[in-house]
Amino acid sequence: MKMLRRFLLIAYLISGMVAFTAVQAQTESGFISIDCGVPANMTYTDKTTGLTYVSDSNFIENNIGETHTISLEYHSPNIENQFSTLRSFPQGYKNCYTLKPADGKGYKYLIRARFLYGNYDERMIVPEFDLYIGTNKWGTVKLDNASHVGSMEIVYISTSTYIFVCIVNTDHGTPFISALELRPLKNSTYTPTRAAVLYQRLDLGSTTNKSVRFQEDVYDRIWQPYNMGDAKILSTSLTVDSGTVINYTPPSSVLATAMIRENVTIEPEDPTAKYYVYMHFADLEKLQANESREFLIYENDKLWNGNDQPFAPEYLYTTTRFSTSPVSGNRINYLFKQSTTSTHQPILNALEIFIVQNFSQPQTYEQDVHIFNKRNHCHFFGGSVM
């Protein structure tokens, strides 16, 4: 019966994939996209994103672990192909994937691990386990239930040619992973720290209630739709250019909606953590000569970054404002105060929040790569925004 289930799901997977071609899109250059648990050496082009996914068999020492398919009742057309299969690790304390990005060490990468338990083992016990990059803890994987799709994402500056993403058993069930993805970023983007974990990435005022990623987002960031109950929504069918913000390049579809809002409050799960905040703005209304939209931004009652000049978003062009130093606390409040001469209220199109991660340990020495592999057998977006 189990063999039949696996055959049916693999057949379903193949039917939802586009035949692989040797020439990949230029915009996918440097991407590493791994579908964990599919047959060894399998390669396919995902029909939704157009990204090329490969089997994880060549990224883990001796192909250790067990490959599984989720139970049929947890599979649906609404989930990505990558969640249909997974690799579990019933043996060993720490099992690591070895990634070798094309740009090498000293560069900044977005690394994302994804999980769907889907009662693959028919035990209905959702596990909890840790995720590491080398010897540094990235975070703890916690899933609410068997159907919960979870993602953990980190922006990381590599100190080695190799990046080891490790799944660590904490005696709370068998660890597993569904997909592992790496995307190169520009070194001038996001936090100046060695590692920062994504806390929230929100498409504010979304009218579709659907997430946005590649190919609309050149870095394959995943933007979650989010609306704040009482906020008025602005939208446009026109293209919103990234303007001078070539470093961040938020997708036009994300920027094409905005909320009219006087404040945004973040209530962190961990008040001792340090947060970097990124706000993306673009005016979606063409104002007349006698009209303006100008406002000051306050962080916890103080001018954000000490900037006392009113900010005016450009029409259909993006400006990104971000933390120059991290902030912490039980409640972090951003107030958008309309200037006395402004005729229009403040807006906000998109929001990103990162948590500084203290990676004090070197990942490993270059010469110890093979030894490391042999030894190791080679809460998701939380809190609230209001």
Side-chain angles (χ1 to χ4, degrees):
M1 183 64 181
K2 228 175 171 182
M3 288 290 293
L4 176 62
R5 284 174 49 214
R6 182 169 177 80
F7 172 79
L8 289 172
L9 279 172
I10 293 297
Y12 183 93
L13 270 172
I14 294 171
S15 71
M17 299 168 187
V18 181
F20 171 66
T21 57
V23 181
Q24 299 181 33
Q26 187 176 357
T27 53
E28 195 180 342
S29 177
F31 283 19
I32 299 175
S33 305
I34 302 171
D35 189 340
C36 304
V38 297
N41 302 317
M42 182 177 182
T43 301
Y44 68 88
T45 301
D46 184 82
K47 66 176 182 179
T48 302
T49 62
L51 291 169
T52 303
Y53 279 84
V54 299
S55 168
D56 63 341
S57 59
N58 292 326
F59 293 88
I60 194 156
E61 186 76 6
N62 299 323
N63 200 22
I64 197 163
E66 298 178 357
T67 60
H68 297 274
T69 55
I70 61 172
S71 295
L72 283 171
E73 61 266 31
Y74 291 95
H75 196 91
S76 79
N78 297 324
I79 65 169
E80 295 99 321
N81 281 323
Q82 295 78 51
F83 292 116
S84 296
T85 60
L86 58 90
R87 183 179 294 269
S88 69
F89 300 97
Q91 304 296 325
Y93 162 71
K94 187 175 186 180
N95 295 279
C96 300
Y97 284 86
T98 303
L99 308 181
K100 188 180 181 182
D103 290 340
K105 65 180 179 180
Y107 286 88
K108 188 172 287 186
Y109 302 99
L110 180 158
I111 304 171
R112 183 165 54 231
R114 311 196 75 193
F115 310 88
L116 173 61
Y117 167 62
N119 196 28
Y120 74 89
D121 55 3
E122 299 181 348
R123 295 179 181 178
M124 196 53 80
I125 301 175
V126 182
E128 179 180 319
F129 49 94
D130 288 343
L131 205 58
Y132 276 65
I133 290 186
T135 56
N136 294 285
K137 185 177 177 179
W138 170 352
T140 298
V141 178
K142 297 179 181 179
L143 298 166
D144 293 337
N145 52 57
S147 61
H148 181 193
V149 170
S151 290
M152 292 184 68
E153 183 179 310
I154 191 168
V155 171
Y156 174 67
I157 300 174
S158 179
T159 58
S160 169
T161 303
Y162 296 87
I163 299 174
F164 302 107
V165 177
C166 305
I167 295 93
V168 176
N169 193 323
T170 58
D171 295 325
H172 292 93
T174 302
F176 74 95
I177 185 169
S178 303
L180 182 59
E181 301 163 338
L182 178 144
R183 314 294 185 228
L185 298 171
K186 292 184 178 180
N187 275 14
S188 53
T189 57
Y190 296 116
T191 76
T193 58
R194 182 178 162 196
V197 173
L198 179 66
Y199 184 69
Q200 299 275 8
R201 180 180 292 119
L202 304 177
D203 175 4
L204 301 177
S206 172
T207 56
T208 64
N209 201 34
K210 294 181 179 178
S211 61
V212 174
R213 61 178 297 186
F214 194 84
Q215 298 179 355
E216 293 181 70
D217 189 298
V218 295
Y219 296 127
D220 191 31
R221 292 163 296 191
I222 300 176
W223 300 82
Q224 300 294 342
Y226 193 84
N227 287 291
M228 299 176 187
D230 57 342
K232 182 181 176 182
I233 305 300
L234 295 181
S235 64
T236 182
S237 59
L238 300 175
T239 298
V240 181
D241 197 329
S242 292
T244 57
V245 195
I246 55 175
N247 283 337
Y248 295 98
T249 326
S252 176
S253 58
V254 169
L255 299 168
T257 61
M259 294 191 314
I260 293 177
R261 189 77 179 177
E262 292 184 353
N263 73 294
V264 171
T265 301
I266 304 167
E267 295 186 339
E269 288 183 344
D270 181 2
T272 65
K274 296 180 179 180
Y275 296 83
Y276 277 93
V277 177
Y278 295 77
M279 298 182 187
H280 306 285
F281 302 91
D283 206 331
L284 307 180
E285 294 182 300
K286 189 170 179 60
L287 305 181
Q288 301 302 312
N290 62 342
E291 296 178 318
S292 65
R293 189 190 309 276
E294 294 182 341
F295 51 94
L296 292 164
I297 305 175
Y298 289 82
E299 179 185 75
N300 292 338
D301 299 324
K302 296 181 180 179
L303 285 166
W304 196 22
N305 300 328
N307 192 339
D308 61 357
Q309 297 301 309
F311 168 59
E314 291 187 70
Y315 177 59
L316 299 183
Y317 279 83
T318 311
T319 303
T320 296
R321 292 292 178 97
F322 53 88
S323 307
T324 55
S325 58
V327 61
S328 60
N330 290 300
R331 189 178 177 92
I332 305 168
N333 185 63
Y334 291 90
L335 173 67
F336 307 121
K337 188 175 182 180
Q338 187 173 341
S339 72
T340 55
T341 58
S342 178
T343 60
H344 285 64
Q345 294 173 287
I347 60 169
L348 179 60
N349 304 63
L351 175 68
E352 295 180 273
I353 307 168
F354 290 86
I355 305 173
V356 176
Q357 201 76 347
N358 181 23
F359 275 20
S360 57
Q361 299 296 322
Q363 180 174 242
T364 187
Y365 295 105
E366 290 286 329
Q367 62 266 34
D368 291 340
V369 167
H370 298 295
I371 297 174
F372 184 95
N373 281 342
K374 287 176 182 177
R375 276 187 196 149
N376 292 283
H377 315 295
C378 245
H379 207 321
F380 301 92
F381 310 148
S384 59
V385 176
M386 300 182 292

